[in-house]
Amino acid sequence: MASHKKYFRLHLCRMHTVFLSLGSNEGDRKAWLEQGIKQIELTIGSVTRQSSMYQTAAWGKTDQPAFLNMVIKVASLCSPTEILELAQQIETKAGRQRTIKWGARTLDIDILFYDSLISNDVSLVLPHPFLHLRRF
């Protein structure tokens, strides 16, 4: 128990490097990505770098519009599970519907890397499990 408390205290004081991908293939895709970045800065942490926006064909379920994508680097005090929860809240706020796996979406936020953490947890696999298959 004492070691758990020590880890928790260290975790709260330590800044983490997180890479997130953002994607959109519904509506004003650029506006959704820009709004996503603003919400990430308000809730998850400071965006320290960002890629250009680029278009890719849909992956997983290919009979839908192309995605506008980007990757951002974030400095955050949040844990991986907190980031996942906050990202899902941002997606929901943007009107994302989770009705069809890999379906069209206003905003999709994926955690690509969290420091050098490797996790195979049921709710969060890190690094992102499809990283090697997709054009992030």
Side-chain angles (χ1 to χ4, degrees):
M1 181 83 166
S3 64
H4 176 70
K5 286 182 181 178
K6 181 179 177 183
Y7 170 78
F8 186 71
R9 276 196 310 271
L10 290 172
H11 169 76
L12 288 178
C13 298
R14 183 168 173 247
M15 191 64 68
H16 300 278
T17 301
V18 184
F19 287 88
L20 303 174
S21 70
L22 286 77
S24 174
N25 74 336
E26 284 188 336
D28 187 341
R29 301 173 307 166
K30 183 179 179 195
W32 286 124
L33 296 183
E34 290 169 347
Q35 183 62 34
I37 291 171
K38 287 178 187 173
Q39 291 302 310
I40 287 165
E41 289 211 302
L42 289 172
T43 59
I44 295 174
S46 299
V47 175
T48 59
R49 295 198 65 179
Q50 68 183 56
S51 72
S52 299
M53 293 181 189
Y54 55 97
Q55 184 167 296
T56 60
W59 184 90
K61 183 176 176 352
T62 59
D63 61 338
Q64 59 183 317
F67 278 83
L68 195 59
N69 298 288
M70 67 184 309
V71 174
I72 60 174
K73 181 180 179 183
V74 180
S76 179
L77 292 171
C78 297
S79 72
T81 53
E82 289 169 330
I83 292 172
L84 178 62
E85 290 171 11
L86 291 166
Q88 289 175 345
Q89 288 173 14
I90 293 167
E91 291 171 342
T92 300
K93 191 174 181 180
R96 175 162 179 184
Q97 302 287 317
R98 293 182 185 274
T99 54
I100 300 170
K101 184 173 182 162
W102 291 323
R105 42 209 178 268
T106 52
L107 183 61
D108 181 48
I109 303 170
D110 289 328
I111 304 171
L112 303 179
F113 294 101
Y114 180 94
D115 292 333
S116 58
L117 180 66
I118 297 172
S119 169
N120 286 312
D121 187 75
V122 168
S123 62
L124 182 60
V125 177
L126 292 170
H128 191 282
F130 301 117
L131 189 63
H132 65 290
L133 299 175
R134 294 175 51 195
R135 295 179 172 199
F136 286 110

